[in-house]
Amino acid sequence: MPALAQIKEYYKDNTDFGKALRTEIDRLSGTSGSIDAAQHPFIAYYNTNYSKFLSNSQDSTKKVSQEEIINFLDKSGDMLESSSLLRPVLVAYLNSGGNTNVTKSVDALLDRLKVETPRGQTVLSELIDIFDVYQMDEYKSKYLSLAKNLKCTITDRLASTLKSNANIEMGAAFPNYKFQSPVNTTAKSLYDVKADKKVIVFWSSTCSHCESELPKLLEKYNDLKSKNIQIVGLSLDVDKDSYSKKIAAFPWVNDSELRGWNSSYTDTYNIHATPTYFILDANNKIISKPDHVGDVLEYFKLK
């Protein structure tokens, strides 16, 4: 049952749901024969649709069309939202349309689903996040504007997307964050950290890009500190030992909820990748959103 093995890629084992699902998958994986859809509807739903839309088969005769994917997204029941299928299916849908037809593909999908409906708005939210993850800024801007201008009732999911994006617009006041177990500071919250400027970095000890970028920030830390610039690292780690060993080398302010991508600040600050950087002024307003550590150092003329 290959789909059962793949499901772990989309659900985090440290959540209560993830743990329960892991137990159920392990139990079912030990059985023979096909899954009884009546007894295990969620697993059967995932297994069937993963095999159809997301398997890595190179057999072109098995590739589904965009119309088939649209029909699936349109006709699926509520189980679609509770499964992990929506985002990867949308990515597969966009890939099947090619890089030159993104707008055409998205417009055709939203026209069928209707953005006035809960399903349409969920899909719109996911698309905005996908464009964010893949740094497709033109498309993110286009469909974020569409969402902002909707006159109908907005679902909680889409409202959350709008709010998290508004939180990180240039010039916006960076929402305050109450520290959980801060290191290298007596401050109780992000706003309590006083400096002429602050560099906020979202990172993880298991992130390979962080592994290469943060040492470069460390090299210039004393130079930054001499300019009254403080660094605040917010980690998306889960493992306390891994996190603790890593921050031992980082003299700046560090904190983590140890909840990985389930951390509260991933939604608040619209975090989709690590490392992610923000530069704030003395009043905690966003004055720059660097893409890489080199951009951070360039901003402060330290390269």
Side-chain angles (χ1 to χ4, degrees), residues 7-78:
I7 202 169
K8 66 182 180 182
E9 296 180 8
Y10 301 107
Y11 280 112
K12 304 301 182 184
D13 287 344
N14 62 300
T15 65
D16 289 341
F17 181 77
K19 291 175 183 176
L21 184 58
R22 180 75 264 156
T23 299
E24 182 67 0
I25 289 171
D26 289 343
R27 186 180 70 79
L28 290 171
S29 297
T31 64
S32 59
S34 60
I35 296 173
D36 185 337
Q39 288 188 337
H40 309 288
F42 176 85
I43 301 296
Y45 174 86
Y46 184 96
N47 193 32
T48 300
N49 291 300
Y50 181 94
S51 298
K52 181 174 182 179
F53 297 106
L54 299 172
S55 64
N56 294 318
S57 172
Q58 299 301 310
D59 186 349
S60 61
T61 63
K62 293 183 179 180
K63 290 183 179 179
V64 295
S65 67
Q66 282 200 319
E67 183 63 22
E68 287 179 286
I69 297 177
I70 290 177
N71 284 334
F72 167 66
L73 296 172
D74 185 26
K75 304 300 183 185
S76 277
D78 294 343

Side-chain angles (χ1 to χ4, degrees), residues 22 35 76 97 128 174 177 188 267 282 290 296:
R22 180 75 264 156
I35 296 173
S76 277
I128 291 169
F174 200 70
Y177 171 69
K188 302 299 183 183
D267 286 337
V296 175

Side-chain angles (χ1 to χ4, degrees), residues 126-141:
E126 289 288 344
L127 287 168
I128 291 169
D129 287 349
I130 288 168
F131 295 142
D132 207 354
V133 170
Y134 291 99
Q135 298 182 321
M136 301 168 72
D137 296 339
E138 175 188 351
Y139 299 110
K140 178 189 172 183
S141 178

Side-chain angles (χ1 to χ4, degrees), residues 73-94:
L73 296 172
D74 185 26
K75 304 300 183 185
S76 277
D78 294 343
M79 204 173 288
L80 176 62
E81 279 80 6
S82 61
S83 75
S84 61
L85 289 169
L86 182 55
R87 182 168 296 189
V89 167
L90 284 172
V91 171
Y93 173 77
L94 294 172

Side-chain angles (χ1 to χ4, degrees), residues 60-192:
S60 61
T61 63
K62 293 183 179 180
K63 290 183 179 179
V64 295
S65 67
Q66 282 200 319
E67 183 63 22
E68 287 179 286
I69 297 177
I70 290 177
N71 284 334
F72 167 66
L73 296 172
D74 185 26
K75 304 300 183 185
S76 277
D78 294 343
M79 204 173 288
L80 176 62
E81 279 80 6
S82 61
S83 75
S84 61
L85 289 169
L86 182 55
R87 182 168 296 189
V89 167
L90 284 172
V91 171
Y93 173 77
L94 294 172
N95 286 337
S96 68
N99 292 336
T100 60
N101 294 307
V102 174
T103 297
K104 182 179 178 181
S105 296
V106 173
D107 289 348
L109 177 59
L110 295 179
D111 183 62
R112 173 77 69 83
L113 299 181
K114 307 300 181 188
V115 290
E116 296 82 8
T117 66
R119 173 62 54 78
Q121 291 184 23
T122 297
V123 167
L124 179 57
S125 294
E126 289 288 344
L127 287 168
I128 291 169
D129 287 349
I130 288 168
F131 295 142
D132 207 354
V133 170
Y134 291 99
Q135 298 182 321
M136 301 168 72
D137 296 339
E138 175 188 351
Y139 299 110
K140 178 189 172 183
S141 178
K142 174 182 175 67
Y143 292 102
L144 188 57
S145 293
L146 170 65
K148 289 178 180 178
N149 293 322
L150 288 177
K151 304 301 182 184
C152 56
T153 301
I154 302 297
T155 63
D156 290 345
R157 173 71 175 84
L158 185 56
S160 177
T161 294
L162 290 170
K163 181 172 174 51
S164 63
N165 277 278
N167 284 345
I168 60 166
E169 289 180 350
M170 286 292 292
F174 200 70
N176 198 9
Y177 171 69
K178 184 178 180 180
F179 293 139
Q180 304 296 303
S181 301
V183 175
N184 301 325
T185 184
T186 58
K188 302 299 183 183
S189 72
L190 184 62
Y191 280 18
D192 288 340

Side-chain angles (χ1 to χ4, degrees), residues 177 179 200-203 232-236 253 255-256 265 269:
Y177 171 69
F179 293 139
I200 313 300
V201 54
F202 294 90
W203 68 287
V232 178
L234 296 177
S235 165
L236 280 76
V253 178
D255 194 31
S256 179
Y265 39 73
Y269 306 113

Side-chain angles (χ1 to χ4, degrees), residues 201-219 237 242-243 245-247 249-250 252 274-277 293:
V201 54
F202 294 90
W203 68 287
S204 167
S205 65
T206 59
C207 159
S208 59
H209 291 297
C210 302
E211 188 74 23
S212 62
E213 293 204 6
L214 294 191
K216 296 176 183 177
L217 202 57
L218 181 60
E219 288 176 8
D237 274 293
S242 178
Y243 164 72
K245 288 176 182 176
K246 187 63 67 173
I247 64 170
F250 299 153
W252 52 72
T274 53
T276 293
Y277 302 96
V293 68

